[in-house]
Amino acid sequence: MNIPRPFLIGFLGAAVALTPVVPGAFARQPQVHRMPLRDQPVALTLYSAGIEANLPSSKDAFLLEQLQMLGRRLGEFPQQFGEEEDFPINSIQLNDLTTLLMSPMSLKLSVGPTLLGDEPRPIVSFTARPADERVAERLAWTVRNQVSRRQIPATQTSGLTRIEHDDLGLIILGKRGRNFVGVANYEFDNVPVVPEVPGLPEGVEPALAFKFEPVHLANFFNEVVIPDSPDPDLVRDFLEQIGMIGDNTITIEGTLGYTEDRMLGVYRERGSARIAEPFGFPTSLTLGDDILTTIPADATSVLATVFDLEAIYDMLMSYAERFDGSRPPIEEWVRDFTGIDLKEDYFPAVGKRFAIYQAPSTGGGSLASTVAIVEIGDADAMRRVMTKLSEFVEQKISPMARNTVRFAPWKLESGHDAWSLSFPGVPAPIEPCWMIYADKWVVKAATPGALIAAVDHLRDRDAASFATNPHLLAESDSRPSETIFVQYLDAAFYAQRGYGLASIAATALSNFTRSTINPEARIPTVRMPTYNALLADLRPSIAVAKWEGDDLVTTMTADRSSTAQIAAILGNIGSIDTMLIGPAFAGGVVAPIFLNKYNSAKRQGKISQSAMCVRQILLGHELYSMQHNSHFADSIETLAEDTGIASRYLVSPFGPARDGGPDFGYRTDLAGKKVSSLRSPSTTILIIDRAAILAGLDVISVGFADGRTTVHYLLEIQELLENPDNEGAAEAMGIADWLP
């Protein structure tokens, strides 16, 4: 399930910020407090109870067996694809390593001072307890063997390999008791450590858990990361804003467990309310009853949230301006391209509540039934956005797509105005459409039918809505309207559609894990559950987030079976219409646009070739004029004959002319006249590509009496023909009957 992680991106950003300075960090020696190993706090703790604890359902027996076989299958790679010595790890080691990672395990990570000195070093503690103790023994032997082969200075004690590294510090790897351990500058853990993360009901043991406390990285951030960065003030402000340092440091934690019939999860960001606003999460706003009532009761997939688009935009622009020294001209680009002013039109138009759903009543519950509900902030601003969007599509996108994309207004039977993005002449499988309802909501849909059904639900005041969904009410300890995020997936509905894809994936996995060396090995003893068995008593997947004081808390529940959840997800994203819409849309809409681009480039090449022909004819005119006392020739044929113009330059790339006449028109009405008799040679047309005009082109190559060759739109040529020096030119060049 997807859950809201507003500030997890901040953690990732901090990791990126750390990347360029970490290598140098371990070579520095900032003055930080020395702390004994046993008291050293860690920033991140991860825990897994093992693969069996995370696949507890009987419906997952097949998946569990296949994953357990996976290590042995990977272990065959050295034999199957090459010599053992060609691989950095042999088959037994690869199998053992995979088994180890599926065992109960914990991992602690941090950076801080150690007993070896005050400089910051990595702090690591890894503890895994495989069911087969021999796995730990073999991996401990592998460590000793690799250290010896690579001649790394080390000492061996009681199955442990001890390495003192100049930069990384003290590293110990090997078997300790029943565990395989790996520590760097830290004490051993006797068993995998479960971080203290509250939230699961009493009696439910964590299958997965994590806790991230950046406060324990404060010295490292302040003494190493910030001073070594190109812009210390910018990095310091960024780390403070995402809650990594300072008075508003946050803690992120989560846990997952299983009851007899469901999976339960809790994700908590402690203190995040203090930094939420710039990230677009207003702390004083909740979903409210009204947006949930816009969703019909039969909705099978729902995502509703509160979000401030302008706040996150302003924050990003602020950092971009500080980083680059100037604000990116995004607003100018959008305004110049679409006519929409982000600050004056778009952001005021859009409210802070959003929802998107699929339902059988809006089109079967698949992609084609998708409806989005957007709260309106300013109805007048929203109308401006709609108007400018319409003009943008009609004036810029439609010509580019050769009129296969149009912005079409229409009316619903209820009398409401609606708009569609239609694709004339193209078998496009979707027709995105939208309308403004009661100046409160913008309703968007993938098809007109979905829009009509969504509006019908809004108009029916007595219609049941998603706000009273019994599963949602049962799983939430507060009213859904008091939350800031709701996600819902009807697993039973979508697993029906996804079972086929899940079955195909299961067959592929089963074939992959079978042995290519021993046909008798790894024959599956269990199979994927049958359709009826898998779909029996499926629970929906629900995630709900709300503020508890300064903490953002997300609670999750789903079916106990991971196989059933996978089938539901595949059914949600992999239904037949979903798979067909992408290729059909690409073939039906995107292809004409690319074809138009190709044709435009091809046409541009012909226009350039046409202009080159006109230029060569003009050179012939200049030579003729020099030879005949500045007089004009009586025809283009005379020019060619007297001056030797190659015949290929008399043929237009847009020819032959439709009427059988010459491809290029020449001013025969100027025969016998001198160039000096013209009042304005620079505006007097002498030669024109008449074949292009007869072919219907609107961009024509033109040669002027002063020797210039240019390309003009047909309307511009008509204006030039009104010049006194061009009187009678249209008739003389044979284009009078072909002009608009």
Side-chain angles (χ1 to χ4, degrees), residues 619-635 637-644 666 670-676:
L619 289 175
H621 157 71
E622 292 176 4
L623 182 58
Y624 181 91
S625 179
M626 290 172 59
Q627 295 173 349
H628 295 82
N629 195 25
S630 298
H631 284 81
F632 289 96
D634 58 2
S635 68
E637 290 79 12
T638 301
L639 276 182
E641 184 178 345
D642 278 19
T643 62
Y666 178 73
L670 296 178
K673 294 183 179 180
K674 284 192 173 186
V675 175
S676 58

Side-chain angles (χ1 to χ4, degrees), residues 110-185:
S110 194
V111 177
T114 70
L115 288 177
L116 296 179
D118 285 335
E119 65 272 19
R121 299 178 187 269
I123 294 173
V124 181
S125 177
F126 173 78
T127 305
R129 176 166 289 193
D132 186 349
E133 192 172 341
R134 293 173 298 178
V135 171
E137 292 175 353
R138 289 194 295 266
L139 286 174
W141 179 88
T142 297
V143 171
R144 293 195 300 271
N145 182 51
Q146 291 293 327
V147 166
S148 175
R149 288 178 58 186
R150 299 173 186 275
Q151 299 182 348
I152 299 175
T155 57
Q156 309 289 340
T157 306
S158 303
L160 297 174
T161 300
R162 178 188 176 105
I163 303 169
E164 293 191 21
H165 193 275
D166 291 341
D167 293 331
L168 300 180
L170 177 62
I171 302 171
I172 303 176
L173 298 164
K175 181 176 180 291
R176 187 170 186 267
R178 289 188 52 203
N179 304 327
F180 180 85
V181 297
V183 299
N185 309 307

Side-chain angles (χ1 to χ4, degrees), residues 334 336-340 388-408 420-424 426 434 585 589-594 596-597 600:
V334 173
D336 293 343
F337 192 55
T338 67
I340 297 173
K388 293 177 180 180
L389 183 61
S390 172
E391 294 172 350
F392 164 67
V393 172
E394 287 298 299
Q395 296 174 11
K396 294 188 177 181
I397 300 299
S398 185
M400 183 189 304
R402 305 188 70 174
N403 294 327
T404 57
V405 179
R406 303 301 297 268
F407 195 95
S420 289
L421 193 63
S422 60
F423 307 98
V426 174
W434 53 93
F585 185 81
V589 178
V590 180
I593 294 177
F594 279 100
N596 182 48
K597 287 290 187 183
S600 296

Side-chain angles (χ1 to χ4, degrees), residues 294-296 298-301 357-372 443-457:
T294 65
I295 304 171
D298 67 338
T300 50
S301 174
Y357 68 86
Q358 296 173 355
S361 61
T362 57
S366 59
L367 182 64
S369 70
T370 302
V371 175
V443 185
K444 305 179 181 181
T447 64
L451 182 69
I452 292 170
V455 174
D456 286 345
H457 169 74

